[in-house]
Amino acid sequence: MKVGIVGAGLVGATAAYALTLRGSCSEILLTDQDEARARAEAQDIAHASPVSHGTRVGSGPLADLRGSAVVIVAAGANQKPGESRLDLLQKNAAIFRELIPQIVAAAPDALLLIATNPVDVLTDLTVRLAPGVAVMGSGTVLDSARFRHLIAGHAGVDGTHVHGYVLGEHGDSEVIAWSTVTVAGLPVADFMAARDHEWTPDIRAQIEADTRGAAAQIISGKRATYYGIGAALARITERVLGDRRAVLTVSAPTPEFGVSLSLPRVVGRSGVLDTVLPALTDTERAELAASAGVLRESLATLD
């Protein structure tokens, strides 16, 4: 299976590297307006191929996306310190209006996986620009991983045994859905009690704050986030390629909220196959509705 990546910056290149190390696909094509950057990134990543899974990695123009089963769109302006994801909207929307039709012309059968921020609104814009094409955004897959990581650290367990979701916007209004959290099949409070670990409202509040503030903390220290999102994009891509029917909090159009946002969704080869709304608390439902409202306001600025 061939995967195309549009945008060979830190996120796009790291996604390509993660796909190579995981053996997620047979071929990767990196393309970027900066051809020299795309060529150099592809060459560097290709050198990891013989000591991992033998993935073929190359670069080329947009036309070389032909035959791709998935195209990851990571092109656009980067988030700067102190800048919200929604601040990026107008400049990246202009890029997408030019770029998305070219991608579809080159790879009309590919699923488009949007990584560029603000990812939810740009997912909606891509759906408008590419009617009939399967589209999803990376959504809160990364946010949910950050949430699980922090809970796992307090519980003293492998993070793969923690399940729980961040819903709504991939951004400031995201919903930390504590009601969805389990550790080894137990509600989080029960698991902490079983291991005699302290579990207080202050601990929960700190985990929530660290989940929401993770991107800002990383950007403050090193100017960009790319390892976490690169791995998340690789995971989503391989679930699509393998028709795995994985449940992931990707972003997709959600008619009941009037906008693309993140909910647990069954993901397969043709994209989002189904959506499952968890049994949220009244507070969480209100927060999700408010998050959708934030996104609708942003989307309206593109009309």
Side-chain angles (χ1 to χ4, degrees):
M1 287 288 191
K2 179 178 178 180
V3 173
I5 300 178
V6 180
L10 292 171
V11 171
T14 306
Y17 186 52
L19 287 163
T20 299
L21 294 186
R22 293 167 68 101
S24 305
C25 55
S26 58
E27 181 180 358
I28 298 170
L29 186 284
L30 276 164
T31 183
D32 195 285
Q33 196 171 36
D34 184 343
E35 296 177 4
R37 173 67 180 270
R39 185 166 54 252
E41 293 287 6
Q43 184 180 16
D44 196 9
I45 295 165
H47 294 164
S49 180
V51 291
S52 53
H53 293 275
T55 304
R56 301 185 300 278
V57 184
S59 66
L62 285 169
D64 285 355
L65 292 171
R66 62 184 178 276
S68 297
V70 175
V71 173
I72 298 171
V73 184
N78 295 321
Q79 188 177 357
K80 298 177 182 177
E83 186 175 43
S84 76
R85 293 178 181 92
L86 293 178
D87 289 334
L88 297 175
L89 177 56
Q90 297 302 328
K91 61 180 80 171
N92 283 340
I95 293 169
F96 267 48
R97 288 189 179 99
E98 179 179 352
L99 188 60
I100 295 300
Q102 296 180 63
I103 295 172
V104 173
D109 298 324
L111 178 144
L112 303 187
L113 174 54
I114 309 304
T116 306
N117 282 315
V119 67
D120 303 293
V121 182
L122 291 177
T123 297
D124 265 323
L125 178 60
T126 302
V127 170
R128 293 181 183 180
L129 295 170
V133 173
V135 178
M136 67 175 70
S138 55
T140 58
V141 173
L142 173 58
D143 310 76
S144 297
R146 290 167 171 161
F147 185 38
R148 293 166 59 198
H149 163 75
L150 291 164
I151 294 168
H154 187 77
V157 300
D158 178 343
T160 61
H161 299 296
V162 178
H163 296 279
Y165 299 123
V166 177
L167 307 175
E169 179 197 3
H170 174 56
D172 295 338
S173 73
E174 65 187 22
V175 180
I176 309 295
W178 282 103
S179 64
T180 67
V181 178
T182 61
V183 184
L186 293 174
V188 62
D190 292 351
F191 184 88
M192 298 300 181
R195 297 206 68 202
D196 199 26
H197 287 338
E198 185 179 19
W199 189 244
T200 66
D202 285 345
I203 292 170
R204 280 182 38 147
Q206 187 61 57
I207 290 173
E208 184 165 338
D210 289 344
T211 300
R212 293 185 187 280
Q217 292 169 12
I218 294 168
I219 290 169
S220 175
K222 60 179 243 180
R223 300 296 180 184
T225 67
Y226 40 93
Y227 293 127
I229 186 59
L233 290 166
R235 182 176 179 84
I236 297 166
T237 299
E238 64 194 22
R239 267 48 185 176
V240 171
L241 293 175
D243 196 25
R244 294 290 294 274
R245 313 301 172 97
V247 178
L248 300 168
T249 52
V250 295
S251 185
T254 310
E256 54 264 52
F257 291 102
V259 73
S260 286
L261 48 67
S262 291
L263 292 171
R265 304 185 193 272
V266 181
V267 174
R269 180 64 186 85
S270 59
V272 173
L273 305 178
D274 205 353
T275 299
V276 180
L277 182 63
L280 303 174
T281 66
D282 289 345
T283 298
E284 289 167 346
R285 284 195 295 271
E287 290 174 348
L288 185 58
S291 185
V294 169
L295 290 169
R296 285 195 302 271
E297 289 177 7
S298 296
L299 184 61
T301 68
L302 300 181
D303 293 334

